[in-house]
Amino acid sequence: MRAELITIGDELLLGQVVNTNASYIGRELGTLGIPLVRETTVGDDRAAILAEFRRAWKSADVVIVTGGLGPTHDDISKSAVATFFRAKLLLHQPTLAAVKERFKTLGYEKMPEANIGQAMVPEGFRALKNERGTAPGLLLHKQDKTFVILPGVPPEMEAIIQSGVLPFLKKTYKKRLLFIRHRTLLTTGIGESTLAEKVGDPKQFLHEGMTLAFLPRASGVRMRITCHAKTASAATRELALVERILRERAGNYIFGEEGESLEALVVKLLTEQHKTVATAESCTGGLISSMLTGVPGASAVYFGSIIAYQNKVKESALGVRRQTLERFGAVSEETAREMAEGALARLGTDFALSVTGIAGPNGGTPEKPVSTIWLALAERGARTITQVLHADYGRTANRERAAAVALGMLQKRLA
Amino acid sequence: MRAELITIGDELLLGQVVNTNASYIGRELGTLGIPLVRETTVGDDRAAILAEFRRAWKSADVVIVTGGLGPTHDDISKSAVATFFRAKLLLHQPTLAAVKERFKTLGYEKMPEANIGQAMVPEGFRALKNERGTAPGLLLHKQDKTFVILPGVPPEMEAIIQSGVLPFLKKTYKKRLLFIRHRTLLTTGIGESTLAEKVGDPKQFLHEGMTLAFLPRASGVRMRITCHAKTASAATRELALVERILRERAGNYIFGEEGESLEALVVKLLTEQHKTVATAESCTGGLISSMLTGVPGASAVYFGSIIAYQNKVKESALGVRRQTLERFGAVSEETAREMAEGALARLGTDFALSVTGIAGPNGGTPEKPVSTIWLALAERGARTITQVLHADYGRTANRERAAAVALGMLQKRLA
């Protein structure tokens, strides 16, 4: 079984939009047991689109296409599909009714004319209902192959994948699905090559159908073990064996597991231990908060944050002393400490994390260059811990790294 | 001139990592004047990588490859490059010295053995210095074509693109660069098809070499005009003509322009008007704050935020009255109003935005279903404005949409 994905849209090639559809679809297909072996992005260009359809339809069992299904003149995918499969476009009454209904719900008096096109379906295709928009998904099953085209707007695509595409693939390819399982161990505080040295030659302990990958990131190196097996239990067993070896050899650096994000792990640990946390952020500007609140259920353990971007707010909302700011500066161990302790006291939690630093690209000085970032973890009834970061990876990555390290401080304390 | 991009990595196809490298490289090449016409992602598979090299090297003038250049066993790109170009791998002394130096700076006593491989360069290639990691970029120029391979870690890739790749391409293809210019008009409060009806048939006003695209998002539909021209001034002139037509026909719905993010526009307007803003966030959990502080220079106008994820914090840190929470609930117009007014008073700004809602997937009730989100904009010396959102696009998109609408309220007030 092989799946290919074609994403269509000039905006992707121009870099105006990040292709999150590709990672979403890759993850969903992989979990189902159909590996995505290739993804191609082409622009809104009829000849290029047709060439990709031809290539992918020849080499893969399942072809998924996203983009270009909207109601406007630049949405050319449906006509390309009709051409490629030599299928007439026919008016599909249930889809027309659904589109009209959607406009009514949104408060329109009548459906704009252009949307009649949304209800045209190539002969032989089924229409997959779109609960979040007007363009239905389209699916063709032919000679044991499947071709699917979906709108490119992420929430619409995701809804149709879940309600229409995955159930169809699961039923149709039941006997051919692979058991692909991964385990990803998250490390911190060690570089890629040093970690690889500790782990040793993977050929010595990987069986057939398994791979081990080292994936570096600003926040730490991940080790991903992958196993393709005939049964789910075989895959799970093989993964456990390799995981044991990795933990024996590099356990000190491993802080988390499989798909768990650091923030989800922190929320889980806090929940288990009936503890609560607040944050006080300066240069990360709400990133830690936004990561924690991205975890469903975070509200039981996360109380909130004071984002103190200005010194005035560090004083008024967090109680950082003016003399601390004047003597040591806003980016200092002392300020980080008082920010965390202020958040702890004012929000009444068990823990509080703080971050203050110079994310860049400007604002550095010779003594405190860009990327100097101080972090603190305050805890009710215990001493506040601090840490400093250097090494400039650019503004965005500096912020992300600081957020990850702060969450890592709390995770280590809870572990 | 045509560029192609090949991104390598199982983690991309498995959906463990979003391919931000593709959008970064597409944007940088497009701005330089070399259109990216295709992007392909393949896994860590030697045969698949070689097949892509073959296809891309035949059809494009510039081929950029990212990923698989690290020091571990799963990084196979460099050996594939050497095979493809039939080039021997030679030890490059300046790179070896740079790698050793980097380990010294990071506080290692000696460089791990595996990194000697980082200094091996295929014969005929130049090594492009990597200021943020150990794997250099590699570049070959041959028969007026260019092949570049870069590490996949985004900050490293970005640094080499800026310091090594773009300067080389600019100099080498000086006479062949196109002038590709875009203008993207941002709209809010109108659907894709209604907007297209207002604009009318684009064939009536687009000259050759121009396209118009409608790009829907949870936060609003964008209209992108693109022009390929022989000179920069011709491109600019053509764009201005079409922009005038779009503004005549749909000006009421256009709130911003070209590449400007809404948050950057808000920071710009506040700066011009010497005004300041704070936020009080509940279900968006720091997203608005994190968007605003992502804009360099935001600290002059953005004071900070109270993230009040729990009702207790809404009371203690924002001064929302307990009776308001009990009578109307945390997700209500009244609570949103008191949150915004509390942030205004406590952080001492000219404006304050608040958001409180049910992002989902759980927490809805029949009266207040998931995605009910209340927003408020408080202003010193003026009445507080409120707004409510419905329509469920999933947790992440609900949060993003709420953040965008909140920023839009402030932008309209300032415009």
Side-chain angles (χ1 to χ4, degrees), chain A residues 12 15 17-24 39 41, chain B residues 5-9 11-13 15-25 39-42 66 152 154 157:
Chain A
L12 296 165
V17 170
V18 175
N19 196 347
T20 53
N21 286 357
S23 54
Y24 182 87
E39 180 277 331
T41 304
Chain B
L5 172 65
I6 302 168
T7 54
I8 297 174
E11 69 276 18
L12 296 164
L13 295 173
Q16 296 183 319
V17 171
V18 175
N19 196 348
T20 53
N21 285 357
S23 53
Y24 182 86
I25 291 170
E39 180 277 332
T40 308
T41 304
V42 288
T66 66
M157 176 281 292

mmCIF file of all heavy atoms in Angstrom, chain A residues 12 15 17-24 39 41, chain B residues 5-9 11-13 15-25 39-42 66 152 154 157:
data_model
loop_
_atom_site.group_PDB
_atom_site.id
_atom_site.type_symbol
_atom_site.label_atom_id
_atom_site.label_comp_id
_atom_site.label_asym_id
_atom_site.label_seq_id
_atom_site.Cartn_x
_atom_site.Cartn_y
_atom_site.Cartn_z
ATOM 1 N N LEU A 12 1.121 28.214 -1.773
ATOM 2 C CA LEU A 12 2.073 27.330 -1.090
ATOM 3 C C LEU A 12 3.484 27.520 -1.641
ATOM 4 O O LEU A 12 4.453 27.592 -0.898
ATOM 5 C CB LEU A 12 1.642 25.871 -1.249
ATOM 6 C CG LEU A 12 0.302 25.514 -0.604
ATOM 7 C CD1 LEU A 12 -0.200 24.176 -1.129
ATOM 8 C CD2 LEU A 12 0.431 25.474 0.905
ATOM 9 N N GLY A 15 5.038 30.678 -0.651
ATOM 10 C CA GLY A 15 5.352 30.769 0.767
ATOM 11 C C GLY A 15 4.405 31.665 1.543
ATOM 12 O O GLY A 15 4.713 32.096 2.644
ATOM 13 N N VAL A 17 1.501 30.640 2.534
ATOM 14 C CA VAL A 17 0.785 29.738 3.421
ATOM 15 C C VAL A 17 1.710 28.557 3.714
ATOM 16 O O VAL A 17 2.379 28.063 2.814
ATOM 17 C CB VAL A 17 -0.497 29.220 2.716
ATOM 18 C CG1 VAL A 17 -1.137 28.098 3.503
ATOM 19 C CG2 VAL A 17 -1.479 30.358 2.502
ATOM 20 N N VAL A 18 1.767 28.131 4.976
ATOM 21 C CA VAL A 18 2.551 26.939 5.325
ATOM 22 C C VAL A 18 1.680 25.715 5.085
ATOM 23 O O VAL A 18 0.485 25.721 5.387
ATOM 24 C CB VAL A 18 3.002 27.000 6.798
ATOM 25 C CG1 VAL A 18 3.705 25.718 7.200
ATOM 26 C CG2 VAL A 18 3.930 28.188 7.011
ATOM 27 N N ASN A 19 2.257 24.673 4.520
ATOM 28 C CA ASN A 19 1.487 23.503 4.120
ATOM 29 C C ASN A 19 1.204 22.575 5.308
ATOM 30 O O ASN A 19 1.781 21.492 5.426
ATOM 31 C CB ASN A 19 2.245 22.764 3.016
ATOM 32 C CG ASN A 19 1.361 21.781 2.279
ATOM 33 O OD1 ASN A 19 0.254 21.466 2.734
ATOM 34 N ND2 ASN A 19 1.831 21.301 1.149
ATOM 35 N N THR A 20 0.285 22.988 6.157
ATOM 36 C CA THR A 20 -0.080 22.147 7.302
ATOM 37 C C THR A 20 -0.953 20.972 6.863
ATOM 38 O O THR A 20 -1.023 19.970 7.564
ATOM 39 C CB THR A 20 -0.846 22.944 8.372
ATOM 40 O OG1 THR A 20 -1.958 23.594 7.741
ATOM 41 C CG2 THR A 20 0.039 24.006 9.012
ATOM 42 N N ASN A 21 -1.619 21.091 5.702
ATOM 43 C CA ASN A 21 -2.426 19.974 5.221
ATOM 44 C C ASN A 21 -1.576 18.722 5.014
ATOM 45 O O ASN A 21 -2.029 17.609 5.272
ATOM 46 C CB ASN A 21 -3.108 20.326 3.890
ATOM 47 C CG ASN A 21 -4.271 21.282 4.082
ATOM 48 O OD1 ASN A 21 -4.599 21.646 5.211
ATOM 49 N ND2 ASN A 21 -4.896 21.700 2.991
ATOM 50 N N ALA A 22 -0.348 18.908 4.519
ATOM 51 C CA ALA A 22 0.504 17.754 4.238
ATOM 52 C C ALA A 22 0.802 16.992 5.521
ATOM 53 O O ALA A 22 0.709 15.762 5.555
ATOM 54 C CB ALA A 22 1.802 18.209 3.568
ATOM 55 N N SER A 23 1.152 17.687 6.591
ATOM 56 C CA SER A 23 1.489 16.948 7.814
ATOM 57 C C SER A 23 0.238 16.311 8.413
ATOM 58 O O SER A 23 0.289 15.188 8.901
ATOM 59 C CB SER A 23 2.216 17.836 8.824
ATOM 60 O OG SER A 23 1.490 18.993 9.082
ATOM 61 N N TYR A 24 -0.889 17.006 8.334
ATOM 62 C CA TYR A 24 -2.124 16.428 8.869
ATOM 63 C C TYR A 24 -2.470 15.124 8.143
ATOM 64 O O TYR A 24 -2.752 14.090 8.751
ATOM 65 C CB TYR A 24 -3.273 17.429 8.737
ATOM 66 C CG TYR A 24 -4.577 16.924 9.311
ATOM 67 C CD1 TYR A 24 -4.868 17.099 10.662
ATOM 68 C CD2 TYR A 24 -5.500 16.241 8.520
ATOM 69 C CE1 TYR A 24 -6.039 16.622 11.209
ATOM 70 C CE2 TYR A 24 -6.677 15.754 9.060
ATOM 71 C CZ TYR A 24 -6.951 15.950 10.396
ATOM 72 O OH TYR A 24 -8.116 15.475 10.940
ATOM 73 N N GLU A 39 4.952 13.559 -1.315
ATOM 74 C CA GLU A 39 4.034 14.700 -1.342
ATOM 75 C C GLU A 39 4.573 15.658 -2.374
ATOM 76 O O GLU A 39 5.773 15.917 -2.423
ATOM 77 C CB GLU A 39 3.987 15.354 0.034
ATOM 78 C CG GLU A 39 3.063 16.557 0.152
ATOM 79 C CD GLU A 39 3.681 17.853 -0.316
ATOM 80 O OE1 GLU A 39 4.914 18.012 -0.239
ATOM 81 O OE2 GLU A 39 2.922 18.721 -0.804
ATOM 82 N N THR A 41 3.852 19.531 -4.262
ATOM 83 C CA THR A 41 3.083 20.761 -4.352
ATOM 84 C C THR A 41 3.285 21.362 -5.733
ATOM 85 O O THR A 41 4.431 21.519 -6.176
ATOM 86 C CB THR A 41 3.564 21.779 -3.300
ATOM 87 O OG1 THR A 41 3.477 21.184 -2.019
ATOM 88 C CG2 THR A 41 2.708 23.042 -3.341
ATOM 89 N N LEU B 5 12.167 22.476 -5.461
ATOM 90 C CA LEU B 5 12.612 22.195 -4.103
ATOM 91 C C LEU B 5 12.319 20.734 -3.771
ATOM 92 O O LEU B 5 11.228 20.238 -4.063
ATOM 93 C CB LEU B 5 11.875 23.115 -3.127
ATOM 94 C CG LEU B 5 12.073 22.844 -1.633
ATOM 95 C CD1 LEU B 5 13.514 23.087 -1.225
ATOM 96 C CD2 LEU B 5 11.136 23.741 -0.813
ATOM 97 N N ILE B 6 13.287 20.060 -3.185
ATOM 98 C CA ILE B 6 13.076 18.695 -2.692
ATOM 99 C C ILE B 6 13.342 18.705 -1.193
ATOM 100 O O ILE B 6 14.442 19.070 -0.763
ATOM 101 C CB ILE B 6 14.040 17.707 -3.381
ATOM 102 C CG1 ILE B 6 13.864 17.748 -4.906
ATOM 103 C CG2 ILE B 6 13.835 16.285 -2.859
ATOM 104 C CD1 ILE B 6 14.966 17.028 -5.675
ATOM 105 N N THR B 7 12.335 18.377 -0.397
ATOM 106 C CA THR B 7 12.573 18.286 1.043
ATOM 107 C C THR B 7 12.558 16.808 1.422
ATOM 108 O O THR B 7 11.684 16.061 0.995
ATOM 109 C CB THR B 7 11.529 19.068 1.864
ATOM 110 O OG1 THR B 7 10.217 18.642 1.503
ATOM 111 C CG2 THR B 7 11.613 20.548 1.583
ATOM 112 N N ILE B 8 13.568 16.417 2.202
ATOM 113 C CA ILE B 8 13.777 15.006 2.524
ATOM 114 C C ILE B 8 13.529 14.759 4.001
ATOM 115 O O ILE B 8 14.017 15.509 4.848
ATOM 116 C CB ILE B 8 15.228 14.599 2.174
ATOM 117 C CG1 ILE B 8 15.455 14.744 0.655
ATOM 118 C CG2 ILE B 8 15.516 13.157 2.627
ATOM 119 C CD1 ILE B 8 16.881 14.516 0.224
ATOM 120 N N GLY B 9 12.773 13.732 4.310
ATOM 121 C CA GLY B 9 12.620 13.364 5.718
ATOM 122 C C GLY B 9 11.346 12.587 5.987
ATOM 123 O O GLY B 9 10.250 13.075 5.713
ATOM 124 N N GLU B 11 10.025 12.250 8.743
ATOM 125 C CA GLU B 11 9.233 12.982 9.726
ATOM 126 C C GLU B 11 8.235 13.917 9.058
ATOM 127 O O GLU B 11 7.185 14.219 9.630
ATOM 128 C CB GLU B 11 10.138 13.731 10.710
ATOM 129 C CG GLU B 11 10.925 14.905 10.136
ATOM 130 C CD GLU B 11 12.235 14.503 9.449
ATOM 131 O OE1 GLU B 11 12.384 13.310 9.114
ATOM 132 O OE2 GLU B 11 13.083 15.385 9.243
ATOM 133 N N LEU B 12 8.541 14.373 7.827
ATOM 134 C CA LEU B 12 7.600 15.241 7.103
ATOM 135 C C LEU B 12 6.413 14.430 6.593
ATOM 136 O O LEU B 12 5.266 14.849 6.678
ATOM 137 C CB LEU B 12 8.304 15.927 5.934
ATOM 138 C CG LEU B 12 9.437 16.887 6.324
ATOM 139 C CD1 LEU B 12 10.308 17.202 5.121
ATOM 140 C CD2 LEU B 12 8.871 18.166 6.916
ATOM 141 N N LEU B 13 6.700 13.247 6.044
ATOM 142 C CA LEU B 13 5.622 12.408 5.503
ATOM 143 C C LEU B 13 4.779 11.803 6.621
ATOM 144 O O LEU B 13 3.587 11.542 6.435
ATOM 145 C CB LEU B 13 6.212 11.297 4.622
ATOM 146 C CG LEU B 13 6.910 11.787 3.352
ATOM 147 C CD1 LEU B 13 7.608 10.638 2.648
ATOM 148 C CD2 LEU B 13 5.913 12.454 2.395
ATOM 149 N N GLY B 15 4.103 13.363 9.233
ATOM 150 C CA GLY B 15 3.358 14.464 9.844
ATOM 151 C C GLY B 15 3.860 14.826 11.231
ATOM 152 O O GLY B 15 3.162 15.480 11.990
ATOM 153 N N GLN B 16 5.093 14.418 11.566
ATOM 154 C CA GLN B 16 5.628 14.789 12.879
ATOM 155 C C GLN B 16 6.188 16.198 12.869
ATOM 156 O O GLN B 16 6.415 16.788 13.915
ATOM 157 C CB GLN B 16 6.721 13.799 13.295
ATOM 158 C CG GLN B 16 6.171 12.391 13.489
ATOM 159 C CD GLN B 16 7.242 11.425 13.962
ATOM 160 O OE1 GLN B 16 8.363 11.463 13.498
ATOM 161 N NE2 GLN B 16 6.878 10.554 14.877
ATOM 162 N N VAL B 17 6.444 16.703 11.683
ATOM 163 C CA VAL B 17 7.010 18.040 11.525
ATOM 164 C C VAL B 17 6.267 18.723 10.379
ATOM 165 O O VAL B 17 6.011 18.102 9.361
ATOM 166 C CB VAL B 17 8.518 17.930 11.179
ATOM 167 C CG1 VAL B 17 9.083 19.268 10.789
ATOM 168 C CG2 VAL B 17 9.288 17.330 12.339
ATOM 169 N N VAL B 18 5.916 19.983 10.568
ATOM 170 C CA VAL B 18 5.291 20.744 9.491
ATOM 171 C C VAL B 18 6.394 21.326 8.618
ATOM 172 O O VAL B 18 7.416 21.791 9.121
ATOM 173 C CB VAL B 18 4.408 21.871 10.070
ATOM 174 C CG1 VAL B 18 3.857 22.740 8.953
ATOM 175 C CG2 VAL B 18 3.264 21.280 10.874
ATOM 176 N N ASN B 19 6.206 21.278 7.308
ATOM 177 C CA ASN B 19 7.251 21.682 6.374
ATOM 178 C C ASN B 19 7.324 23.205 6.218
ATOM 179 O O ASN B 19 6.945 23.751 5.187
ATOM 180 C CB ASN B 19 6.996 21.001 5.031
ATOM 181 C CG ASN B 19 8.217 21.033 4.133
ATOM 182 O OD1 ASN B 19 9.177 21.748 4.415
ATOM 183 N ND2 ASN B 19 8.189 20.263 3.070
ATOM 184 N N THR B 20 7.858 23.869 7.227
ATOM 185 C CA THR B 20 7.997 25.323 7.130
ATOM 186 C C THR B 20 9.156 25.711 6.221
ATOM 187 O O THR B 20 9.181 26.822 5.707
ATOM 188 C CB THR B 20 8.238 25.951 8.522
ATOM 189 O OG1 THR B 20 9.348 25.283 9.139
ATOM 190 C CG2 THR B 20 7.022 25.796 9.412
ATOM 191 N N ASN B 21 10.105 24.794 6.006
ATOM 192 C CA ASN B 21 11.209 25.094 5.086
ATOM 193 C C ASN B 21 10.703 25.406 3.693
ATOM 194 O O ASN B 21 11.235 26.260 3.002
ATOM 195 C CB ASN B 21 12.178 23.906 4.999
ATOM 196 C CG ASN B 21 13.057 23.782 6.237
ATOM 197 O OD1 ASN B 21 12.976 24.620 7.132
ATOM 198 N ND2 ASN B 21 13.879 22.755 6.284
ATOM 199 N N ALA B 22 9.661 24.677 3.249
ATOM 200 C CA ALA B 22 9.143 24.876 1.895
ATOM 201 C C ALA B 22 8.614 26.293 1.732
ATOM 202 O O ALA B 22 8.905 26.970 0.738
ATOM 203 C CB ALA B 22 8.054 23.851 1.589
ATOM 204 N N SER B 23 7.834 26.788 2.699
ATOM 205 C CA SER B 23 7.288 28.129 2.516
ATOM 206 C C SER B 23 8.387 29.182 2.626
ATOM 207 O O SER B 23 8.389 30.164 1.885
ATOM 208 C CB SER B 23 6.139 28.406 3.499
ATOM 209 O OG SER B 23 6.539 28.155 4.812
ATOM 210 N N TYR B 24 9.351 28.953 3.510
ATOM 211 C CA TYR B 24 10.440 29.921 3.639
ATOM 212 C C TYR B 24 11.215 30.040 2.329
ATOM 213 O O TYR B 24 11.471 31.130 1.823
ATOM 214 C CB TYR B 24 11.383 29.496 4.771
ATOM 215 C CG TYR B 24 12.516 30.468 4.998
ATOM 216 C CD1 TYR B 24 12.341 31.557 5.831
ATOM 217 C CD2 TYR B 24 13.742 30.317 4.350
ATOM 218 C CE1 TYR B 24 13.373 32.471 6.031
ATOM 219 C CE2 TYR B 24 14.774 31.222 4.534
ATOM 220 C CZ TYR B 24 14.586 32.299 5.377
ATOM 221 O OH TYR B 24 15.590 33.203 5.560
ATOM 222 N N ILE B 25 11.582 28.893 1.758
ATOM 223 C CA ILE B 25 12.398 28.905 0.542
ATOM 224 C C ILE B 25 11.601 29.438 -0.643
ATOM 225 O O ILE B 25 12.104 30.206 -1.456
ATOM 226 C CB ILE B 25 12.980 27.497 0.286
ATOM 227 C CG1 ILE B 25 14.013 27.185 1.377
ATOM 228 C CG2 ILE B 25 13.598 27.384 -1.099
ATOM 229 C CD1 ILE B 25 14.508 25.752 1.396
ATOM 230 N N GLU B 39 7.397 21.583 -5.453
ATOM 231 C CA GLU B 39 8.070 21.133 -4.230
ATOM 232 C C GLU B 39 7.707 19.686 -4.056
ATOM 233 O O GLU B 39 6.551 19.301 -4.231
ATOM 234 C CB GLU B 39 7.584 21.962 -3.044
ATOM 235 C CG GLU B 39 8.204 21.602 -1.702
ATOM 236 C CD GLU B 39 7.551 20.425 -0.998
ATOM 237 O OE1 GLU B 39 6.335 20.186 -1.208
ATOM 238 O OE2 GLU B 39 8.243 19.715 -0.245
ATOM 239 N N THR B 40 8.691 18.848 -3.737
ATOM 240 C CA THR B 40 8.421 17.432 -3.509
ATOM 241 C C THR B 40 9.019 17.011 -2.189
ATOM 242 O O THR B 40 10.142 17.392 -1.870
ATOM 243 C CB THR B 40 9.059 16.571 -4.620
ATOM 244 O OG1 THR B 40 8.646 17.075 -5.874
ATOM 245 C CG2 THR B 40 8.616 15.126 -4.501
ATOM 246 N N THR B 41 8.275 16.236 -1.423
ATOM 247 C CA THR B 41 8.809 15.665 -0.196
ATOM 248 C C THR B 41 8.927 14.165 -0.369
ATOM 249 O O THR B 41 7.969 13.511 -0.778
ATOM 250 C CB THR B 41 7.872 15.942 0.992
ATOM 251 O OG1 THR B 41 7.677 17.340 1.098
ATOM 252 C CG2 THR B 41 8.461 15.416 2.302
ATOM 253 N N VAL B 42 10.118 13.622 -0.083
ATOM 254 C CA VAL B 42 10.283 12.169 -0.069
ATOM 255 C C VAL B 42 10.914 11.767 1.256
ATOM 256 O O VAL B 42 11.454 12.608 1.979
ATOM 257 C CB VAL B 42 11.161 11.659 -1.237
ATOM 258 C CG1 VAL B 42 10.421 11.769 -2.559
ATOM 259 C CG2 VAL B 42 12.491 12.388 -1.292
ATOM 260 N N THR B 66 16.643 20.104 0.928
ATOM 261 C CA THR B 66 16.907 20.251 2.362
ATOM 262 C C THR B 66 16.714 18.911 3.066
ATOM 263 O O THR B 66 15.854 18.125 2.694
ATOM 264 C CB THR B 66 15.968 21.262 3.057
ATOM 265 O OG1 THR B 66 14.631 20.757 3.031
ATOM 266 C CG2 THR B 66 15.991 22.616 2.385
ATOM 267 N N GLY B 152 18.256 20.401 7.240
ATOM 268 C CA GLY B 152 16.806 20.593 7.367
ATOM 269 C C GLY B 152 16.372 21.369 8.609
ATOM 270 O O GLY B 152 15.221 21.807 8.676
ATOM 271 N N PRO B 154 15.407 24.266 10.608
ATOM 272 C CA PRO B 154 15.064 25.560 10.013
ATOM 273 C C PRO B 154 16.029 26.719 10.282
ATOM 274 O O PRO B 154 16.433 27.391 9.325
ATOM 275 C CB PRO B 154 13.655 25.824 10.538
ATOM 276 C CG PRO B 154 13.085 24.446 10.718
ATOM 277 C CD PRO B 154 14.239 23.621 11.213
ATOM 278 N N MET B 157 19.117 26.174 8.072
ATOM 279 C CA MET B 157 18.793 26.349 6.660
ATOM 280 C C MET B 157 18.630 27.836 6.338
ATOM 281 O O MET B 157 19.184 28.348 5.365
ATOM 282 C CB MET B 157 17.505 25.560 6.369
ATOM 283 C CG MET B 157 16.936 25.664 4.984
ATOM 284 S SD MET B 157 15.998 27.175 4.678
ATOM 285 C CE MET B 157 14.574 26.938 5.734
#
